Amino acid sequence: MFTPSQHDVRRFFCETFRKQRANEILTPLEAIARDWIIQHPEYADALTDVEAALAQDYSVESGQANPFLHLSMHLSIAEQISIDQPPGIRAAYTGLARRLDSEHEAHHHIMECLGEMIWSSQRSGLPPDGAAYIECIKRR
């Protein structure tokens, strides 16, 4: 199992941003990340300087949104949809994107459900409930 550190994730997105701006060849994962980076131009400053990105504190107390967490969630959701795991997420996503008339907004709604599922799992000490996650998406 691949479990990148916080610094690994930040370096990945900063390097993808650099390669995208330099028109360099991207790996398939970088290409997916690039697509989400492009949809979030407000993150350009955070992605420009890797050393600053590594040092930045995005704690709740700082009051700043974490662009690396946000982009990571987009990647996670894209992967879940591509392999339909948990089962039913692809159909739930497709229906939500159609209702919202926006794949990007559908991802943002799914992020809320993903966050709820992870929070519930951590709070209860039980494994994440994929069925509840899908139901949350369908209710949106």
Side-chain angles (χ1 to χ4, degrees), residues 6 10 56-66 69 119:
Q6 179 184 80
R10 291 179 183 197
Q56 182 64 43
D57 174 27
Y58 292 105
S59 65
V60 174
E61 295 78 25
S62 76
Q64 278 187 300
N66 184 334
L69 175 59
W119 180 82

PDB file of all heavy atoms in Angstrom, residues 6 10 56-66 69 119:
ATOM      1  N   GLN A   6       2.935  13.797   4.182  1.00  0.00           N
ATOM      2  CA  GLN A   6       2.419  15.127   3.855  1.00  0.00           C
ATOM      3  C   GLN A   6       3.367  15.841   2.882  1.00  0.00           C
ATOM      4  O   GLN A   6       2.924  16.450   1.909  1.00  0.00           O
ATOM      5  CB  GLN A   6       2.267  15.935   5.135  1.00  0.00           C
ATOM      6  CG  GLN A   6       1.756  17.345   4.930  1.00  0.00           C
ATOM      7  CD  GLN A   6       1.733  18.104   6.228  1.00  0.00           C
ATOM      8  OE1 GLN A   6       2.765  18.597   6.663  1.00  0.00           O
ATOM      9  NE2 GLN A   6       0.569  18.184   6.839  1.00  0.00           N
ATOM     10  N   ARG A  10       2.694  17.181  -1.022  1.00  0.00           N
ATOM     11  CA  ARG A  10       2.933  18.579  -1.411  1.00  0.00           C
ATOM     12  C   ARG A  10       3.952  18.669  -2.539  1.00  0.00           C
ATOM     13  O   ARG A  10       3.770  19.438  -3.486  1.00  0.00           O
ATOM     14  CB  ARG A  10       3.361  19.394  -0.193  1.00  0.00           C
ATOM     15  CG  ARG A  10       2.213  19.548   0.793  1.00  0.00           C
ATOM     16  CD  ARG A  10       2.596  20.328   2.022  1.00  0.00           C
ATOM     17  NE  ARG A  10       1.477  20.366   2.953  1.00  0.00           N
ATOM     18  CZ  ARG A  10       1.374  21.222   3.950  1.00  0.00           C
ATOM     19  NH1 ARG A  10       2.321  22.126   4.157  1.00  0.00           N
ATOM     20  NH2 ARG A  10       0.327  21.181   4.755  1.00  0.00           N
ATOM     21  N   GLN A  56       4.355  25.432   5.134  1.00  0.00           N
ATOM     22  CA  GLN A  56       3.057  26.051   5.434  1.00  0.00           C
ATOM     23  C   GLN A  56       2.240  25.205   6.411  1.00  0.00           C
ATOM     24  O   GLN A  56       2.161  23.989   6.291  1.00  0.00           O
ATOM     25  CB  GLN A  56       2.264  26.254   4.145  1.00  0.00           C
ATOM     26  CG  GLN A  56       0.925  26.923   4.334  1.00  0.00           C
ATOM     27  CD  GLN A  56       1.025  28.336   4.858  1.00  0.00           C
ATOM     28  OE1 GLN A  56       1.861  29.114   4.408  1.00  0.00           O
ATOM     29  NE2 GLN A  56       0.194  28.676   5.817  1.00  0.00           N
ATOM     30  N   ASP A  57       1.610  25.884   7.366  1.00  0.00           N
ATOM     31  CA  ASP A  57       0.720  25.239   8.335  1.00  0.00           C
ATOM     32  C   ASP A  57      -0.720  25.481   7.904  1.00  0.00           C
ATOM     33  O   ASP A  57      -1.147  26.630   7.803  1.00  0.00           O
ATOM     34  CB  ASP A  57       0.957  25.824   9.730  1.00  0.00           C
ATOM     35  CG  ASP A  57      -0.024  25.299  10.764  1.00  0.00           C
ATOM     36  OD1 ASP A  57      -0.540  24.176  10.597  1.00  0.00           O
ATOM     37  OD2 ASP A  57      -0.283  26.032  11.750  1.00  0.00           O
ATOM     38  N   TYR A  58      -1.439  24.421   7.651  1.00  0.00           N
ATOM     39  CA  TYR A  58      -2.842  24.520   7.269  1.00  0.00           C
ATOM     40  C   TYR A  58      -3.735  23.958   8.369  1.00  0.00           C
ATOM     41  O   TYR A  58      -4.760  23.360   8.093  1.00  0.00           O
ATOM     42  CB  TYR A  58      -3.105  23.782   5.949  1.00  0.00           C
ATOM     43  CG  TYR A  58      -2.463  24.435   4.756  1.00  0.00           C
ATOM     44  CD1 TYR A  58      -1.327  23.893   4.174  1.00  0.00           C
ATOM     45  CD2 TYR A  58      -2.990  25.590   4.216  1.00  0.00           C
ATOM     46  CE1 TYR A  58      -0.739  24.493   3.076  1.00  0.00           C
ATOM     47  CE2 TYR A  58      -2.401  26.203   3.118  1.00  0.00           C
ATOM     48  CZ  TYR A  58      -1.277  25.647   2.551  1.00  0.00           C
ATOM     49  OH  TYR A  58      -0.697  26.247   1.458  1.00  0.00           O
ATOM     50  N   SER A  59      -3.354  24.155   9.612  1.00  0.00           N
ATOM     51  CA  SER A  59      -4.169  23.656  10.715  1.00  0.00           C
ATOM     52  C   SER A  59      -5.506  24.392  10.743  1.00  0.00           C
ATOM     53  O   SER A  59      -5.647  25.496  10.194  1.00  0.00           O
ATOM     54  CB  SER A  59      -3.445  23.863  12.047  1.00  0.00           C
ATOM     55  OG  SER A  59      -3.289  25.241  12.309  1.00  0.00           O
ATOM     56  N   VAL A  60      -6.479  23.794  11.380  1.00  0.00           N
ATOM     57  CA  VAL A  60      -7.798  24.409  11.513  1.00  0.00           C
ATOM     58  C   VAL A  60      -7.668  25.789  12.149  1.00  0.00           C
ATOM     59  O   VAL A  60      -8.336  26.741  11.737  1.00  0.00           O
ATOM     60  CB  VAL A  60      -8.733  23.499  12.345  1.00  0.00           C
ATOM     61  CG1 VAL A  60     -10.052  24.179  12.619  1.00  0.00           C
ATOM     62  CG2 VAL A  60      -8.936  22.168  11.643  1.00  0.00           C
ATOM     63  N   GLU A  61      -6.778  25.896  13.116  1.00  0.00           N
ATOM     64  CA  GLU A  61      -6.597  27.159  13.828  1.00  0.00           C
ATOM     65  C   GLU A  61      -6.075  28.273  12.910  1.00  0.00           C
ATOM     66  O   GLU A  61      -6.314  29.453  13.170  1.00  0.00           O
ATOM     67  CB  GLU A  61      -5.630  26.987  15.009  1.00  0.00           C
ATOM     68  CG  GLU A  61      -6.133  26.067  16.099  1.00  0.00           C
ATOM     69  CD  GLU A  61      -5.992  24.577  15.751  1.00  0.00           C
ATOM     70  OE1 GLU A  61      -5.126  24.222  14.928  1.00  0.00           O
ATOM     71  OE2 GLU A  61      -6.771  23.776  16.287  1.00  0.00           O
ATOM     72  N   SER A  62      -5.352  27.905  11.853  1.00  0.00           N
ATOM     73  CA  SER A  62      -4.809  28.922  10.948  1.00  0.00           C
ATOM     74  C   SER A  62      -5.904  29.563  10.097  1.00  0.00           C
ATOM     75  O   SER A  62      -5.715  30.642   9.563  1.00  0.00           O
ATOM     76  CB  SER A  62      -3.719  28.331  10.045  1.00  0.00           C
ATOM     77  OG  SER A  62      -4.299  27.538   9.020  1.00  0.00           O
ATOM     78  N   GLY A  63      -7.015  28.860   9.957  1.00  0.00           N
ATOM     79  CA  GLY A  63      -8.138  29.401   9.207  1.00  0.00           C
ATOM     80  C   GLY A  63      -7.975  29.384   7.700  1.00  0.00           C
ATOM     81  O   GLY A  63      -8.787  29.939   6.977  1.00  0.00           O
ATOM     82  N   GLN A  64      -6.923  28.757   7.211  1.00  0.00           N
ATOM     83  CA  GLN A  64      -6.683  28.661   5.765  1.00  0.00           C
ATOM     84  C   GLN A  64      -7.112  27.299   5.249  1.00  0.00           C
ATOM     85  O   GLN A  64      -6.868  26.281   5.898  1.00  0.00           O
ATOM     86  CB  GLN A  64      -5.199  28.815   5.460  1.00  0.00           C
ATOM     87  CG  GLN A  64      -4.695  30.218   5.411  1.00  0.00           C
ATOM     88  CD  GLN A  64      -3.250  30.208   4.935  1.00  0.00           C
ATOM     89  OE1 GLN A  64      -2.397  29.599   5.566  1.00  0.00           O
ATOM     90  NE2 GLN A  64      -2.993  30.880   3.834  1.00  0.00           N
ATOM     91  N   ALA A  65      -7.710  27.297   4.073  1.00  0.00           N
ATOM     92  CA  ALA A  65      -8.018  26.033   3.415  1.00  0.00           C
ATOM     93  C   ALA A  65      -6.711  25.388   2.956  1.00  0.00           C
ATOM     94  O   ALA A  65      -5.774  26.082   2.563  1.00  0.00           O
ATOM     95  CB  ALA A  65      -8.932  26.272   2.225  1.00  0.00           C
ATOM     96  N   ASN A  66      -6.659  24.074   3.010  1.00  0.00           N
ATOM     97  CA  ASN A  66      -5.470  23.337   2.605  1.00  0.00           C
ATOM     98  C   ASN A  66      -5.613  22.908   1.144  1.00  0.00           C
ATOM     99  O   ASN A  66      -6.351  21.969   0.840  1.00  0.00           O
ATOM    100  CB  ASN A  66      -5.285  22.120   3.508  1.00  0.00           C
ATOM    101  CG  ASN A  66      -4.022  21.352   3.214  1.00  0.00           C
ATOM    102  OD1 ASN A  66      -3.502  21.385   2.111  1.00  0.00           O
ATOM    103  ND2 ASN A  66      -3.545  20.637   4.204  1.00  0.00           N
ATOM    104  N   LEU A  69      -4.773  19.130   0.517  1.00  0.00           N
ATOM    105  CA  LEU A  69      -5.835  18.214   0.938  1.00  0.00           C
ATOM    106  C   LEU A  69      -6.965  18.236  -0.078  1.00  0.00           C
ATOM    107  O   LEU A  69      -7.477  17.192  -0.492  1.00  0.00           O
ATOM    108  CB  LEU A  69      -6.349  18.592   2.332  1.00  0.00           C
ATOM    109  CG  LEU A  69      -7.543  17.788   2.847  1.00  0.00           C
ATOM    110  CD1 LEU A  69      -7.213  16.301   2.923  1.00  0.00           C
ATOM    111  CD2 LEU A  69      -7.980  18.332   4.203  1.00  0.00           C
ATOM    112  N   TRP A 119     -14.814  10.811   9.256  1.00  0.00           N
ATOM    113  CA  TRP A 119     -15.044  11.283  10.624  1.00  0.00           C
ATOM    114  C   TRP A 119     -15.816  10.234  11.431  1.00  0.00           C
ATOM    115  O   TRP A 119     -15.452   9.913  12.568  1.00  0.00           O
ATOM    116  CB  TRP A 119     -15.801  12.615  10.596  1.00  0.00           C
ATOM    117  CG  TRP A 119     -16.071  13.167  11.953  1.00  0.00           C
ATOM    118  CD1 TRP A 119     -15.214  13.887  12.734  1.00  0.00           C
ATOM    119  CD2 TRP A 119     -17.276  13.034  12.709  1.00  0.00           C
ATOM    120  NE1 TRP A 119     -15.821  14.215  13.924  1.00  0.00           N
ATOM    121  CE2 TRP A 119     -17.086  13.703  13.926  1.00  0.00           C
ATOM    122  CE3 TRP A 119     -18.498  12.418  12.462  1.00  0.00           C
ATOM    123  CZ2 TRP A 119     -18.069  13.771  14.909  1.00  0.00           C
ATOM    124  CZ3 TRP A 119     -19.486  12.483  13.434  1.00  0.00           C
ATOM    125  CH2 TRP A 119     -19.264  13.153  14.634  1.00  0.00           C
TER     126      TRP A 119
END
